[in-house]
Amino acid sequence: MKSIVITGCNRGIGLGLVKYLVKDKISPKYVMVTCRNLQNAKELQEIADANKNVHVLQLEVDKPETFDNFAKDIEAIVKEDGLNVLFNNAGYSPKSTRINFVKAEQMMETFSINAVGPLMLTKALLPILKRAATINKDKPLGIERSVVINMSSYLGSISMNNQGGLYPYRCSKAALNMITTSLSIDLKPDGILVTSVHPGWVKTTMGGPNAPLDVDICSKRIIQLLKTLNEDHNGQFYSYEGHKIDW
Ligand code: NDP
């Protein structure tokens, strides 16, 4: 893979993925990482200062009106190579979510960040994803061609839901999983693979301090999974350990 865009990289799993990618033996030529506020993303900026292949860009995934300009910025970096990987990682989970407390605004806001944003960003970056898939058409489906990863959650699995609640988060990730399925069908003729990934229960602001998995281990496993993606993964839902998850 020559190029990757990852959203939500100033902290949590996104930051972990960037740290792992720059340490990796074959670090991509272009690691383009986003955060909402450039001034607050000090650690990310330090990584970019120390690694010439890291480009930090500002992006709010619930502002689709900015995506065409963002796509132009990415195109200016990757040029004729196109974009190999879009990793829709940024996500949001509101706190109070039992039936008596859920609010319409929470549902809309969470949908906008976790489902609408990844879909519209994929749409905006499609021409450059297609370019990478086309110029690498002699290679099998995977990160040497073109891939869209949607960071989902097992909490978005309908078949695994035996606890209820968490309406905004569960519903938005279930919607994201449906987006993965439709995109995987629509983009297959273009040689673009699309898959949903569950990162495990990870110690981040979202995962909380009781989560069993460290960001480092989760990030390493996800990058390993990324490298193994092939036609079998298209339109599927996988855990960070590479196990298939039921929708
Ligand atoms: P964190 O809460 O630690 O980080 C979330 C990231 O998303 C931050 O960089 C945040 O930026 C960014 N973000 C939030 N809203 C927006 C927005 N509107 N526009 C752009 N960026 C935004 O979460 P994690 O690192 O734990 O989660 C990463 C992904 O993994 C998410 O999609 C999450 O749903 C998923 N996940 C996490 C699990 C876990 O156990 N941690 C389990 C299952 C799935 P800012 O700092 O500016 O708020």
Side-chain angles (χ1 to χ4, degrees):
M1 132 178 88
K2 268 192 183 163
S3 55
I4 183 167
V5 167
I6 313 175
T7 61
C9 291
N10 54 306
R11 59 187 169 98
I13 300 169
L15 183 60
L17 291 170
V18 182
K19 284 183 182 169
Y20 188 78
L21 274 176
V22 297
K23 275 194 298 193
D24 203 13
K25 276 198 296 273
I26 332 165
S27 192
K29 190 171 167 190
Y30 309 110
V31 179
M32 294 156 290
V33 298
T34 80
C35 60
R36 284 199 282 191
N37 185 326
L38 292 169
Q39 273 72 45
N40 290 349
K42 296 224 174 348
E43 211 174 339
L44 200 55
Q45 207 57 63
E46 280 168 20
I47 296 174
D49 290 344
N51 296 275
K52 290 275 166 284
N53 57 338
V54 177
H55 303 256
V56 184
L57 296 106
Q58 196 273 340
L59 183 75
E60 291 177 59
V61 298
D62 51 352
K63 297 229 161 39
E65 66 278 11
T66 66
F67 292 177
D68 284 345
N69 277 338
F70 178 75
K72 281 184 195 144
D73 291 343
I74 298 297
E75 184 162 24
I77 297 170
V78 298
K79 300 192 176 77
E80 65 278 3
D81 287 339
L83 176 64
N84 294 117
V85 179
L86 167 61
F87 200 132
N88 286 308
N89 165 72
Y92 170 66
S93 179
K95 290 206 171 63
S96 61
T97 52
R98 297 308 303 191
I99 183 62
N100 292 337
F101 298 101
V102 68
K103 295 188 180 73
E105 307 83 67
Q106 274 180 337
M107 291 295 290
M108 304 299 273
E109 185 187 14
T110 314
F111 253 81
S112 166
I113 297 170
N114 291 354
V116 181
L119 174 64
M120 300 316 288
L121 189 60
T122 306
K123 182 183 171 199
L125 293 174
L126 210 46
I128 50 175
L129 286 162
K130 280 186 189 172
R131 192 180 304 159
T134 305
I135 61 175
N136 295 295
K137 61 175 182 294
D138 52 319
K139 299 182 181 135
L141 219 56
I143 59 169
E144 298 301 320
R145 285 193 80 184
S146 198
V147 167
V148 177
I149 308 281
N150 289 325
M151 191 71 109
S152 185
S153 167
Y154 74 97
L155 293 172
S157 162
I158 292 173
S159 59
M160 287 173 73
N161 184 359
N162 55 12
Q163 308 263 309
L166 298 172
Y167 291 92
Y169 191 69
R170 282 190 191 280
C171 297
S172 66
K173 292 293 188 184
L176 180 64
N177 286 344
M178 184 57 88
I179 288 166
T180 293
T181 312
S182 278
L183 284 175
S184 73
I185 296 164
D186 293 344
L187 305 187
K188 195 173 177 200
D190 296 310
I192 302 171
L193 183 153
V194 188
T195 191
S196 278
V197 170
H198 165 61
W201 181 18
V202 192
K203 258 189 212 66
T204 62
T205 308
M206 190 186 292
N210 297 329
L213 200 58
D214 285 328
V215 168
D216 295 0
I217 297 167
C218 154
S219 307
K220 182 178 174 184
R221 293 285 187 82
I222 288 176
I223 300 296
Q224 281 168 349
L225 174 67
L226 213 66
K227 290 178 180 173
T228 63
L229 291 179
N230 60 52
E231 190 150 1
D232 295 341
H233 296 88
N234 194 34
Q236 302 294 333
F237 187 11
Y238 277 87
S239 78
Y240 72 105
E241 291 170 302
H243 303 312
K244 210 159 155 178
I245 300 177
D246 287 335
W247 295 117

